[in-house]
Amino acid sequence: MAEARPAPAYSGESLLFLTDEQLRQGIEAMFFAYRGFTADPDRILAEMAYGRAHHRAIHFINRAPGTTVNNLLAILGVTKQSLNRVLRTLIADGLVESRVGTSDKRERHLFLTEKGQTLEATLSDAQRARMRAAFRDAGPEAVAGFKKVLEAMMDADMRRAYSKLRDGS
């Protein structure tokens, strides 16, 4: 087996002039990293006949308890029909509770049940463990750079939604 070679160190200046090949490698790394990031939750969800859409809904309902269906639609960027299919399953299985809005009866506010919170914790624990190990190996400067790159790839509307969620507002 060949010995792993450390990745070449690039100065900030050389990163301004990435070649198409370097960008292709970055794209491929994102694809493979995403597969790793989702692998553990995917296995857990498959046992319940759920998919990534269920995971995303559970994650964001947990992050913003009481969020409205419309807000969740905006965050997830899916159709209302697609989200309703996911929510119906999660509600029927006792993972999510939908409550009528107090000021606007047309609104539906979403909350995880205790069972939903337990599933969310299991899914997130697996992802946190993977991220913690990767961040620890990469070091604080790489983690800060990674975050900057991810935020720079978001369009302006997504960056605002991310900031709002991150800041808890």
Side-chain angles (χ1 to χ4, degrees):
M1 179 152 52
E3 189 174 303
R5 288 182 290 183
Y10 296 105
S11 70
E13 186 176 306
S14 68
L15 290 177
L16 296 176
F17 305 101
L18 293 172
T19 65
D20 285 348
E21 175 61 17
Q22 289 169 315
L23 292 171
R24 184 190 59 73
Q25 290 174 8
I27 291 166
E28 289 172 357
M30 289 278 296
F31 282 128
F32 283 101
Y34 183 72
R35 278 183 58 190
F37 179 69
T38 58
D40 298 322
D42 283 352
R43 278 191 291 280
I44 295 164
L45 293 163
E47 294 173 12
M48 304 174 75
Y50 290 162
R52 290 184 187 157
H54 296 88
H55 183 195
R56 292 173 65 210
I58 288 168
H59 174 84
F60 286 107
I61 293 168
N62 182 67
R63 284 287 287 131
T67 191
T68 63
V69 171
N70 284 337
N71 188 49
L72 193 56
L73 277 168
I75 290 170
L76 298 179
V78 297
T79 65
K80 196 170 194 172
Q81 181 181 10
S82 174
L83 180 59
N84 282 336
R85 191 172 25 253
V86 167
L87 288 176
R88 269 195 308 274
T89 306
L90 295 173
I91 291 167
D93 292 348
L95 298 165
V96 171
E97 181 183 346
S98 174
R99 300 180 194 159
V100 175
T102 52
S103 59
D104 185 344
K105 302 292 184 201
R106 295 170 297 176
E107 285 186 339
R108 298 291 178 262
H109 294 267
L110 304 169
F111 299 86
L112 292 183
T113 64
E114 191 173 320
K115 184 177 172 184
Q117 290 171 355
T118 300
L119 176 58
E120 190 285 328
T122 301
L123 298 170
S124 290
D125 286 350
Q127 290 183 310
R128 275 193 295 272
R130 186 179 291 265
M131 287 192 81
R132 186 175 288 113
F135 283 177
R136 188 178 297 122
D137 289 348
E141 287 179 16
V143 171
F146 176 71
K147 183 179 174 206
K148 272 182 118 168
V149 168
L150 290 177
E151 289 174 355
M153 287 195 303
M154 296 175 197
D155 66 31
D157 289 340
M158 284 295 100
R159 198 168 22 258
R160 277 190 292 280
Y162 166 71
S163 294
K164 185 178 174 184
L165 187 68
R166 183 192 62 214
D167 298 339
S169 45

